[in-house]
């Protein structure tokens, strides 16, 4: 919830999905099913999979606005808000726990 609120993306209705499958083909199918959702989508992701997941999201969702929250409620908390393509430019900085 703190990541959703910090994102400035609508929190009126949302779907918490959790982790996508670690298998690319299955993750792609999951995103395909979710791409037309009218609700804000919330995912968890590991730092070592961020670039791969963002690329899959870019392919399935298009270059939509996203928010990436890191280390929520910790000393080094940060929130990125922008397009998926912009997030891919900073993936090397991704360390910690992400929503």
């Amino acid at each position: 919830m703190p990541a959703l609120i910090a994102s400035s993306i609508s929190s009126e209705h949302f779907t918490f999905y959790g982790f996508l499958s670690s298998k690319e083909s299955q993750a792609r199918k999951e995103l395909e099913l979710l791409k037309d959702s009218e609700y804000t989508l919330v995912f968890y992701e590991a730092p070592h999979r961020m670039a791969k997941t963002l690329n899959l999201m870019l392919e399935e969702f298009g270059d939509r606005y996203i928010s990436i929250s890191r280390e929520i409620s910790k000393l080094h908390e940060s929130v990125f808000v922008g397009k998926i393509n912009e997030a891919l430019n900073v993936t090397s900085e991704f360390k910690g726990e992400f929503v």
Side-chain angles (χ1 to χ4, degrees):
M1 286 305 296
L4 180 58
I5 300 303
S7 74
S8 72
I9 297 173
S10 174
S11 59
E12 184 176 356
H13 300 285
F14 65 93
T15 299
F16 174 76
Y17 196 80
F19 286 98
L20 291 168
S21 175
S22 60
K23 295 180 181 176
E24 184 176 337
S25 61
Q26 183 60 35
R28 189 177 301 279
K29 288 177 187 176
E30 293 169 336
L31 292 172
E32 174 71 26
L33 291 172
L34 294 166
K35 76 177 182 179
D36 294 324
S37 175
E38 295 178 16
Y39 301 141
T40 298
L41 301 171
V42 180
F43 299 93
Y44 281 150
E45 192 51 273
H48 67 278
R49 291 181 16 174
M50 284 297 294
K52 183 177 181 178
T53 299
L54 288 171
N55 276 306
L56 285 174
M57 287 180 169
L58 183 60
E59 290 173 24
E60 295 300 326
F61 294 161
D63 200 14
R64 66 170 69 174
Y65 278 96
I66 62 167
S67 176
I68 301 172
S69 296
R70 178 181 76 94
E71 299 291 320
I72 295 297
S73 76
K74 296 181 181 177
L75 179 61
H76 300 290
E77 177 179 331
S78 64
V79 178
F80 167 88
V81 179
K83 297 261 186 153
I84 295 173
N85 204 31
E86 296 169 329
L88 284 166
N89 292 327
V90 295
T91 55
S92 63
E93 301 170 23
F94 290 166
K95 296 180 176 102
E97 299 171 352
F98 291 93
V99 178

